[in-house]
């Protein structure tokens, strides 16, 4: 795991506290662990990584792209995050299409607090781990990481239209998150406030119209 230099010592010493709730297999399992990954403070071109998984928010893509251009070596780069309209164009300014692909941890979520990470793994039949090449091919690198996700019980779904899936998803999440924050920070408050709920629905529709204007149909089958 690549960690900023000013946080490296603390992570090495204390690990990363994770409280989890797992709804898979029809269960509701909760618990806490201390995750102690191998830590690096810098990425160098001579690394021996097969995959580099980028999990920062898409608001910080500009910050990581120069690093990946100079130091990703031969690794396959998985952008495992929300993606919005300018992001693929930005990525192509630094990386060739053969260097990267996309995905989204659709069945896992949560957030960070002062004590660590709060993670939730969905048990819904609709929740999967999305993966896909921009050109829709099922390449060996996609299949290999999908196999790893399957072994971890994270139900991979290889999409032949990954961008068509990602952009409307980002539009939806941005709008509904704004509505939840405005309503007080939880979904129940949003559902109870008809004014904010109506505005949130309008914002979602507006986001979908932007996707349509860019040639991405939110209603199109994405598998």
């Amino acid at each position: 795991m690549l960690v900023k230099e000013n946080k490296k010592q603390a992570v090495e010493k204390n690990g990363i506290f994770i409280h989890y709730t797992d709804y898979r297999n029809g269960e509701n399992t909760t618990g806490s662990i201390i995750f102690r990954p191998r830590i690096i403070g810098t990425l160098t071109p001579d690394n021996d990584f097969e995959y580099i998984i980028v999990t920062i928010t898409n608001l910080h893509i500009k910050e990581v792209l120069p690093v990946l251009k100079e130091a990703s070596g031969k690794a396959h780069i998985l952008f495992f995050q929300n993606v919005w309209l300018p992001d693929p164009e930005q990525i192509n300014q630094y990386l060739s299409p053969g260097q990267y692909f996309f995905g989204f941890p659709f069945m896992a979520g949560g957030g960070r607090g002062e004590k660590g990470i709060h993670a939730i793994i969905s048990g819904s039949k609709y929740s999967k781990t999305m993966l896909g090449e921009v050109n829709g091919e099922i390449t060996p690198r996609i299949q290999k990481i999908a196999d790893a996700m399957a072994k971890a019980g994270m139900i991979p779904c290889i999409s032949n239209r990954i961008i068509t899936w990602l952009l409307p998803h980002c539009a939806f999440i941005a709008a509904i998150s704004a509505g939840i924050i405005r309503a007080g920070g939880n979904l129940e408050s949003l559902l109870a406030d008809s004014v904010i709920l109506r505005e949130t629905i309008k914002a979602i529709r507006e986001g979908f119209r932007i996707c349509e204007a860019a040639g991405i149909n939110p209603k199109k089958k994405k598998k």
Side-chain angles (χ1 to χ4, degrees), residues 118-138:
H118 298 269
I120 299 174
I121 304 177
S122 172
S124 168
K125 64 179 180 179
Y126 302 106
S127 298
K128 296 178 174 61
T129 300
M130 303 301 297
L131 298 165
E133 298 278 2
V134 175
N135 62 9
E137 293 183 10
I138 300 179

Side-chain angles (χ1 to χ4, degrees), residues 86-119:
D87 298 334
E89 184 177 343
Q90 289 185 56
I91 292 170
N92 285 333
Q93 293 175 10
Y94 291 87
L95 304 172
S96 67
Q99 289 180 277
Y100 68 90
F101 59 105
F102 291 102
F104 192 86
F106 189 52
M107 69 179 296
R112 289 184 297 180
E114 293 182 1
K115 294 183 178 180
I117 294 174
H118 298 269

